[in-house]
Amino acid sequence: MSAQLKILAINGSERDGNTADVLRHAARVAENRGVDFETVDLRSIRMERCGPCGDCNDRPVACTLADGVPEVVAKMVAADGIIFAAPVHGFGTASLMQTFIERAGVGYLRFDRPLSNKVAGIISVARRYSAGEVWAQLTVNALLNRMILVGSGFPATVHALHRGDALKDKEGLTNVSRLVERMTDMMELLDEHRRLSGRSDALASGEVNERVGLALNELQAQP
């Protein structure tokens, strides 16, 4: 391989708890395959909520709020694979991950979809309810960004309540291991394609973003 492949994990939990434990498990699987694994804990970065300006969908340039989100987006763009991991809070996605999806997606990623063709993995952690719903929301986010999702059997949902419970969910951790293994397989396949073909676009993205052709965009494009 031309360089060490890398997976960046986005941890949407407010605590160093079960989601972090699951990602440490994922890191061991990746490292056994020779893949660099880095986790960004959203709780540790300064992240503003979307502001009152209200022009996110109209502006032609990236968000101007000054916080740590652009640095995380740059790490995502540089990685080969990205794992979105979040616990279920209040029957939905933990608020840190929800805020990040809004800030990164509308503020930066929607202009030219720089995550296109990167390999995505989704992990949700829950006591019992809504694990599938959160997994599905994060999956749709990956698909919106034109990422490649590799089927790994059962979804990587891990059941836990108290700190340490995630490491007792053997089936859940097995599914996480399968997810990381399959992500690595696809990353290696794409890397081999790049080396043999000399092309960086295994799947042509086509239009720069899905807003091309919409009436509002066409009006803005006129001089």
Side-chain angles (χ1 to χ4, degrees), residues 11-140:
N11 180 1
S13 175
E14 289 87 349
R15 296 179 289 275
D16 181 6
N18 284 301
T19 304
D21 285 343
V22 171
L23 289 176
R24 282 188 275 267
H25 171 83
R28 289 191 290 271
V29 176
E31 289 161 2
N32 286 337
R33 291 289 301 271
V35 174
D36 184 25
F37 193 101
E38 178 185 357
T39 298
V40 171
D41 297 310
L42 294 180
R43 68 181 182 276
S44 299
I45 72 167
R46 189 168 67 85
M47 183 167 57
E48 302 288 343
R49 294 189 179 275
C50 286
C53 50
D55 64 350
C56 296
N57 287 316
D58 301 332
R59 60 187 296 119
V61 295
C63 180
T64 56
L65 283 176
D67 61 8
V69 173
E71 182 179 353
V72 179
V73 170
K75 286 177 177 285
M76 296 168 75
V77 173
D80 300 285
I82 299 166
I83 291 177
F84 297 93
V88 174
H89 287 174
F91 300 98
T93 303
S95 60
L96 276 179
M97 181 63 87
Q98 180 63 37
T99 298
F100 179 75
I101 287 174
E102 293 175 14
R103 289 277 290 108
V106 180
Y108 302 93
L109 300 176
R110 70 177 177 86
F111 298 101
D112 56 3
R113 296 299 176 198
L115 304 186
S116 294
N117 297 334
K118 294 186 183 298
V119 182
I122 309 298
I123 298 173
S124 66
V125 180
R127 173 182 178 269
R128 184 177 302 273
Y129 298 110
S130 298
E133 287 83 349
V134 169
W135 181 89
Q137 180 194 356
L138 297 178
T139 295
V140 170

